[in-house]
Amino acid sequence: MLVHLSLRDFAVVSRAELAFGPGMTVVSGETGAGKSLLVDALMWLTGARADAGIVRHGAERAELTAEFRLDDAPEALSWLRENELDDGEGCQLRRVIRADGGSRAWINGRPATLGQLAELGGRLVEIHGQHEHQALLDRGQQLALLDAFGRHEALLATVQEAARRWSALERERQQLDQAGDVADRLAWLEHQLAELDAERLEAEALEELGAAHRRQANAAGLLEGCGHALARLAGDEGPSVARLLHQVAADLGRLAGDEPRLAEVLALVESAGIQVAEAASGLERVRDGLDLDPERLRALEDRLARLHDLARKHRVPLAGLAARREALRAEHQGLAGAGERAEHLAREATAAMADWRRAAAELGKARHKAAEALGAAVASLMAELGMAGGRFEVALEPLEDGRPSPQGGERCEFLVSANPGQPPRPMRKVASGGELARISLAIEVAALGLDSVPTMVFDEVDTGIGGAVAEVVGQKLRTLGAERQVLCVTHLPQVAAQGHHHFQVSKSVAGDSTHSQVAALDEAGRIEELARMLGGVEITREVRANAKQLLSRARRG
């Protein structure tokens, strides 16, 4: 629900702050005062293209802000959350339009595109009036309203699920078809896997291979180095390290009786002797395990060369060959079952298509029944709204492409004939703005409480009518206001009297500058405004009494 509207340097309004409540709010004023400016402001705030002409003369920019409460707008709240633009249970739309024609927009203080404004605005406000702002001219909206009227939610959900399932199966089937004949690819994959499976490619195996190759390639140097080390330890090339340590230990043993601290040193020397002996044994084992084997070295080098060739062939590092092999194996397994999968997908898609056709046929039957009921209800209301003899029909045409649509098997078109003897024509081609607005009102009243948009705006809905018909129009708007927030721009007192709230737009001229002001009217102000609308230039006591009577009759319902 709209709770606040702020205008600054907008057309002839220098500044206005308006608070809104539930029910029906009427806006009235003298001709040319700018009654429709509030409607225009909501249009700009819900995505209409910027027009520098709306900026007040002499100002740099126009600023518009609307605040909404979302407890009656679950679809808008859901949209905000999906787009990460939510901010609690409220919503603020802001638009700045510069005098050079540029504009910027914000949703809850965050920059937004016009497309986002329009998407969100369509879930918050529905404007009925001129053709380009008429939500019910959209055929998608017409079909949605028909389904809401007929309470087809469960049937539509079944159709949508069947269409979604068919689409998913069809996409997968097309992907398999695009792969074409997979025999050549399978043969290539089998050849590549045979080459890779012939080698040990695990990280441990590659590390072991590298170590073995280094050991064999440097075997001569290793043998020589181990021999020299053993000779030094054993004393073949000078004094034996082990013998020297033994002598040092013996000398320290004799001295330790006189100096107890030497006992610790003696222990270290004896430990060093043990470690040198173990080192010598280890060197002997390593030396004995080394072997100068040219054939073994050649075999290791050949294997390394094969692995490097495979890595270059598959354009991966040596360590990536194992992962490449598994990827090829997975592709091979997928393609090997492609034929069977294609047959399965075809069977599933056929079943999904059959499910969709059954569900769509059931939904279509319900839609035709609802179309008759909605047509009769709207036609009856049109007669009450001053279009006696007018006709309203809901035409349903089958879709021709044969593909399961989430919206069912038909499209919808609202057909209208406002005058007797004229054939019904598409509602979007109805010429009269006033008739269009009244027809929209009839549709909304017929579908009372089923429209998900919480705020409905009717601009000059009473154009071309008067008297009793005007009072009926006002009563219907007031009835609609019991279920939705209604904002109505009017010039008829019979309609204005039906409002729960009343704004008056007035115009004043100071020098060469024109200003419009918008004021909320209290009880006395409403009587004066209704009297002005009733009596014209001279407002008599009788006219005021008539105005007061209009208000009283409206409240009695």
Side-chain angles (χ1 to χ4, degrees):
M1 182 180 77
L2 176 66
V3 294
H4 188 265
L5 183 63
S6 173
L7 313 177
R8 181 176 178 182
D9 293 326
F10 179 64
V12 291
V13 177
S14 56
R15 193 174 190 90
E17 301 287 339
L18 308 174
F20 294 85
M24 175 184 172
T25 298
V26 296
V27 180
S28 65
E30 294 182 356
T31 302
K35 295 189 295 295
S36 293
L37 284 179
L38 301 186
V39 180
D40 294 339
L42 289 173
M43 281 166 27
W44 301 119
L45 282 165
T46 53
R49 288 197 170 276
D51 180 355
I54 71 168
V55 180
R56 181 174 171 77
H57 180 68
E60 293 181 358
R61 62 183 180 271
E63 296 186 22
L64 312 173
T65 305
E67 295 180 12
F68 294 84
R69 201 176 65 213
L70 300 178
D71 53 350
D72 58 354
E75 290 188 10
L77 184 58
S78 175
W79 185 93
L80 286 166
R81 288 171 177 165
E82 288 173 5
N83 288 271
E84 298 182 347
L85 291 169
D86 56 311
D87 185 14
E89 297 300 314
C91 173
Q92 184 191 77
L93 306 182
R94 181 169 176 251
R95 184 96 181 262
V96 172
I97 302 171
R98 299 191 305 272
D100 62 6
S103 77
R104 295 182 65 191
W106 294 264
I107 297 175
N108 284 331
R110 285 162 249 180
T113 65
L114 284 189
Q116 288 176 315
L117 269 190
E119 286 183 30
L120 177 58
R123 293 166 169 81
L124 291 170
V125 180
E126 194 172 90
I127 299 177
H128 301 272
Q130 301 302 316
H131 291 245
E132 60 270 29
H133 314 310
Q134 173 52 271
L136 288 177
L137 296 182
D138 179 73
R139 298 182 70 172
Q141 288 287 91
Q142 293 174 358
L143 186 61
L145 190 143
L146 176 65
D147 285 333
F149 179 81
R151 302 185 186 278
H152 300 151
E153 294 84 357
L155 292 173
L156 184 59
T158 304
V159 168
Q160 290 172 338
E161 173 58 24
R164 184 203 60 76
R165 189 158 55 90
W166 180 87
S167 295
L169 292 166
E170 187 65 13
R171 280 194 301 273
E172 187 176 350
R173 191 184 66 78
Q174 289 176 356
Q175 289 172 354
L176 285 179
D177 287 346
Q178 289 171 0
D181 186 359
V182 299
D184 291 343
R185 181 68 176 176
L186 279 170
W188 182 85
L189 287 169
E190 288 166 0
H191 175 71
Q192 305 306 314
L193 286 169
E195 286 186 335
L196 292 169
D197 284 337
E199 305 292 342
R200 293 180 59 204
L201 302 176
E202 295 75 16
E204 297 82 359
L206 294 178
E207 185 176 348
E208 180 184 330
L209 173 62
H213 178 262
R214 288 191 299 274
R215 185 166 55 248
Q216 194 60 238
N218 297 296
L222 288 169
L223 282 168
E224 184 179 359
C226 289
H228 284 316
L230 276 171
R232 290 191 180 95
L233 289 176
D236 295 344
E237 296 181 1
S240 168
V241 174
R243 190 177 300 115
L244 288 174
L245 287 171
H246 180 72
Q247 291 175 354
V248 171
D251 293 342
L252 290 174
R254 287 190 296 273
L255 299 173
D258 300 326
E259 175 53 70
R261 290 178 298 177
L262 289 175
E264 183 178 351
V265 177
L266 175 61
L268 290 172
V269 172
E270 290 175 342
S271 175
I274 295 171
Q275 290 179 4
V276 166
E278 290 178 351
S281 298
L283 275 172
E284 286 180 354
R285 288 193 300 273
V286 170
R287 183 194 61 185
D288 295 343
L290 291 171
D291 187 15
L292 286 173
D293 188 348
E295 291 186 4
R296 169 68 174 160
L297 176 60
R298 200 160 37 246
L300 290 170
E301 288 179 339
D302 288 346
R303 186 180 170 202
L304 274 173
R306 288 197 307 274
L307 291 175
H308 282 292
D309 287 343
L310 284 172
R312 284 191 296 272
K313 178 179 180 179
H314 292 279
R315 298 180 180 180
V316 295
L318 200 63
L321 280 172
R324 173 63 174 163
R325 179 184 60 190
E326 296 313 309
L328 293 176
R329 196 184 312 282
E331 183 183 355
H332 182 273
Q333 291 172 348
L335 290 178
E340 182 180 345
R341 179 60 181 163
E343 293 178 3
H344 175 74
L345 287 173
R347 290 193 300 270
E348 288 291 305
T350 299
M353 173 70 84
D355 290 343
W356 179 86
R357 283 176 175 161
R358 281 192 296 271
E362 189 174 354
L363 175 60
K365 189 183 300 182
R367 279 175 171 169
H368 279 87
K369 185 177 180 180
E372 291 183 8
L374 179 61
V378 174
S380 175
L381 286 164
M382 285 172 62
E384 293 184 55
L385 296 175
M387 289 177 282
R391 294 164 58 190
F392 181 87
E393 298 176 5
V394 180
L396 294 170
E397 302 173 0
L399 297 175
E400 298 175 355
D401 60 5
R403 295 173 60 86
S405 167
Q407 301 308 314
E410 51 275 316
R411 56 173 173 243
C412 176
E413 180 84 77
F414 286 177
L415 304 179
V416 173
S417 171
N419 301 300
Q422 292 183 347
R425 297 171 57 223
M427 185 170 161
R428 52 195 163 85
K429 296 182 179 180
V430 172
S432 167
E435 289 177 342
L436 183 62
R438 274 180 281 152
I439 293 167
S440 300
L441 173 60
I443 294 170
E444 294 295 351
V445 172
L448 192 61
L450 300 175
D451 198 317
S452 61
V453 180
T455 300
M456 296 179 180
V457 181
F458 291 89
D459 187 14
E460 301 287 356
V461 70
D462 46 22
T463 299
I465 63 173
V469 173
E471 189 164 353
V472 172
V473 169
Q475 290 170 352
K476 298 302 182 186
L477 286 167
R478 189 179 178 90
T479 301
L480 189 59
E483 296 289 335
R484 294 287 185 268
Q485 184 185 41
V486 172
L487 176 62
C488 176
V489 177
T490 182
H491 67 277
L492 293 180
Q494 295 93 332
V495 174
Q498 296 289 337
H500 299 96
H501 316 282
H502 195 151
F503 285 111
Q504 180 190 41
V505 181
S506 58
K507 181 172 65 174
S508 61
V509 179
D512 58 353
S513 180
T514 301
H515 297 266
S516 284
Q517 295 85 30
V518 186
L521 300 179
D522 58 13
E523 180 77 6
R526 290 194 71 179
I527 292 173
E528 285 299 310
E529 175 63 3
L530 290 176
R532 181 198 65 78
M533 299 170 77
L534 283 166
V537 176
E538 184 179 356
I539 301 177
T540 65
R541 182 185 305 172
E542 290 77 11
V543 172
R544 287 191 178 92
N546 194 5
K548 192 172 182 179
Q549 187 180 18
L550 273 178
L551 273 178
S552 299
R553 190 162 64 241
R555 286 167 183 161
R556 290 196 302 268

